[in-house]
Amino acid sequence: MIAVVGLGFVGLTTALGLAKQTGRLVYAYDSNDSLREQLCRGEVPFHEPELGAALLELLGSGLIIGETLEAAVRHADIVFYCVGTPSRPDGGANLDALTAAIVETLPLLKEGGRRTLVIKSTVPPMTTTGVVKPLLESSGHIVGDTVGLAHNPEFLREGRAWQDFIHPDRIVIGACDKLSEEQLKRLYEPFGAPMQGVSPATAEFAKLASNALLATMISFSNELAELAEVTPEIDIPQAFRLLHADGRWQGGGMAGYVYPGCGFGGYCLPKDALSLQHYSREIGRESALIGEVLAVNARAKLAFAKRVAAAAGSHGRLAVLGLAFKPGSDDVRGTPAADIIAHLLELGLTDIVAYDPLAMPRFREAYDFPIRYAGTLREALDGRDSAALVTAWPEFSCQQELLERVKVIDGRYGLGKREAARV
Ligand SMILES: NC(=O)c1ccc[n+]([C@@H]2O[C@H](COP(=O)([O-])OP(=O)(O)OC[C@H]3O[C@@H](n4cnc5c(N)ncnc54)[C@H](O)[C@@H]3O)[C@@H](O)[C@H]2O)c1
């Protein structure tokens, strides 16, 4: 049996994906009682295409949502940890949830056979061997002998989590011991994807590098747009479409990250770029580039808010369109919309109505802004002078006739002229 600990975006997708593709029984556990209850009712608490259908298909057959960590670990030979690793105030990754889950596991490893513990959460280099391994050793375990240990980073994108998990372009196995590597390679065989066995630190670094690269491409685009904006004859969307026409960008969707906007957000890109920057500082090689990627990102949100404030006027009646960190998702963790609304309020705009096709309930719960919310795009624009377009939802580009009635400040450069951004 496989156990999965932590049932957020990554954990639930991992639990269902492994049950589906390997045919093995997966026992999944989350410390959040109400989340477990919701999942037991067959409800996925966030928007993620295909995950709901997979849950209904596998619940009770391939997937068991367990009441305790103990029950999960007792019967499993492989335990995946998919708990959150948010940023600490100093930018480093907060590993409290991960270490707490491992510490909780320790006494359970005494009974039964050898288990392999697999860290799927995104962590800084040397966490598996420098933090988790010593924890296991402190309770008398010998890694590679009495217990297996590996880091297996996850590269799925929110909004496409199921397809990305079921059809990964690479599976990275950073095992501390040969037996764990072989066990994981066998487990992942049915996925038919290229597998790479590397050191745990390489796997940890590769994941952070992947997100830092995406963040860099976005900040590169935003910095270029800053330059281009002062030259009115440059058509910014056209210029970027010319970049995308380079055949080397075709396929795979990478070009979607080489496009300006009003800053990147979400749970992963900002925190992983911060984590890499913190790591670079810790090892005495501070990355100026990653620092600048983050600075450009902060600047992009403020510059957009200033553009909106200038266009709307301080007494302007403004609609903010889009609250999710990207279209196709209802995730509002680290969403640029929150920073932009905060800037707008600071800049004196007080009459703000916000609208998002999916993310409004989560946004209202997560952020306490003195703004109003509208039920539809039409309602959001009713009586408004201007609209700030923050998330490139297709719903907005499909209803351009509504938008034409107000002054639109387009934070996504070229509404309706390109496919919805993936970032
Ligand atoms: N969200 C993404 O797109 C994505 C993609 C790749 C990797 N990651 C990484 O995967 C990890 C998880 O991300 P997420 O978005 O799924 O986070 P999440 O916050 O959605 O889910 C984490 C879950 O872990 C649970 N949890 C915390 N401590 C626990 C414990 N001791 N025992 C059991 N459950 C516990 C929480 O209740 C929560 O439901 C992070 O390290 C993240 O960086 C995320």
Side-chain angles (χ1 to χ4, degrees):
M1 197 176 84
I2 297 164
V4 175
V5 180
L7 296 175
F9 286 87
V10 168
L12 183 61
T13 311
T14 301
L16 289 166
L18 288 174
K20 177 84 181 173
Q21 292 296 82
T22 68
R24 292 188 60 181
L25 184 62
V26 175
Y27 194 106
Y29 171 73
D30 196 290
S31 53
N32 180 331
D33 296 345
S34 65
L35 173 64
R36 285 200 319 273
E37 282 162 20
Q38 219 176 336
L39 292 173
C40 285
R41 292 196 299 270
E43 294 166 16
V44 176
F46 42 81
H47 175 80
E48 198 57 62
E50 302 183 70
L51 224 50
L55 180 62
L56 291 178
E57 178 192 333
L58 294 160
L59 194 60
S61 53
L63 177 79
I64 295 167
I65 309 284
E67 294 268 309
T68 61
L69 179 70
E70 187 185 349
V73 176
R74 184 181 299 281
H75 302 292
D77 56 341
I78 308 178
V79 185
F80 283 87
Y81 294 87
C82 305
V83 299
T85 48
S87 292
R88 291 192 311 243
D90 68 357
N94 182 336
L95 301 175
D96 289 354
L98 178 63
T99 51
I102 299 284
V103 166
E104 221 181 310
T105 307
L106 290 176
L108 310 172
L109 297 175
K110 294 210 170 81
E111 287 170 36
R114 179 191 194 271
R115 291 5 175 268
T116 295
L117 309 189
V118 184
I119 314 303
K120 214 175 219 325
S121 303
T122 304
V123 292
M126 299 303 294
T127 299
T128 305
T129 50
V131 177
V132 181
K133 191 173 174 214
L135 271 178
L136 294 168
E137 287 169 345
S138 71
S139 76
H141 282 287
I142 303 166
V143 170
D145 182 10
T146 59
V147 69
L149 180 62
H151 180 61
N152 167 222
E154 181 50 56
F155 296 93
L156 63 77
R157 292 163 292 179
E158 284 182 27
R160 297 163 177 254
W162 182 250
Q163 285 303 323
D164 282 353
F165 192 88
I166 296 292
H167 305 292
D169 40 31
R170 78 287 215 197
I171 292 168
V172 179
I173 298 168
C176 292
D177 56 288
K178 215 62 214 149
L179 192 55
S180 299
E181 181 176 322
E182 284 162 10
Q183 204 179 8
L184 287 172
K185 282 189 169 166
R186 263 197 315 278
L187 179 74
Y188 277 117
E189 224 161 66
F191 288 80
M195 283 192 243
Q196 279 288 331
V198 296
S199 72
T202 307
E204 293 161 336
F205 185 69
K207 171 62 194 176
L208 284 189
S210 166
N211 275 352
L213 174 62
L214 301 177
T216 303
M217 292 196 295
I218 298 168
S219 276
F220 166 81
S221 308
N222 282 329
E223 185 158 276
L224 287 201
E226 275 177 27
L227 305 182
E229 263 171 5
V230 293
T231 312
E233 285 187 29
I234 298 175
D235 181 318
I236 295 176
Q238 243 175 28
F240 278 86
R241 280 200 297 276
L242 290 174
L243 273 185
H244 299 167
D246 185 324
R248 288 168 293 186
W249 284 109
Q250 305 305 314
M254 270 319 228
Y257 294 89
V258 185
Y259 205 86
C262 43
F264 60 78
Y267 182 49
C268 293
L269 259 53
K271 88 171 169 65
D272 292 348
L274 270 169
S275 172
L276 191 58
Q277 191 200 30
H278 183 267
Y279 170 73
S280 74
R281 221 181 268 140
E282 257 192 346
I283 59 168
R285 300 282 174 93
E286 177 153 4
S287 165
L289 179 61
I290 302 296
E292 197 49 35
V293 164
L294 291 161
V296 170
N297 197 45
R299 218 156 65 215
K301 291 179 277 192
L302 181 59
F304 178 66
K306 284 183 174 167
R307 202 147 60 95
V308 173
S314 54
H315 300 294
R317 292 166 300 177
L318 176 73
V320 170
L321 305 180
L323 299 170
F325 85 102
K326 67 173 180 181
S329 171
D330 64 352
D331 198 351
V332 297
R333 295 178 292 181
T335 179
D339 286 336
I340 289 166
I341 291 172
H343 288 318
L344 289 170
L345 293 167
E346 278 160 22
L347 290 166
L349 271 96
T350 50
D351 186 357
I352 298 176
V353 172
Y355 170 69
D356 188 285
L358 269 187
M360 274 188 315
R362 283 177 169 260
F363 191 88
R364 292 179 83 146
E365 200 182 310
Y367 304 98
D368 186 22
F369 289 124
I371 61 174
R372 288 182 293 126
Y373 294 87
T376 61
L377 177 61
R378 187 180 291 276
E379 190 190 324
L381 295 171
D382 191 31
R384 301 285 100 186
D385 312 308
S386 48
L389 192 130
V390 177
T391 313
W393 280 103
E395 176 177 336
F396 302 153
S397 48
C398 290
Q399 299 188 73
Q400 295 226 30
E401 70 289 353
L402 286 181
L403 290 164
E404 275 159 17
R405 297 181 198 164
V406 297
K407 195 190 302 173
V408 176
I409 307 97
D410 181 4
R412 295 294 164 191
Y413 290 92
L415 172 65
K417 288 186 186 160
R418 67 186 188 109
E419 261 184 64
R422 290 180 179 177
V423 295

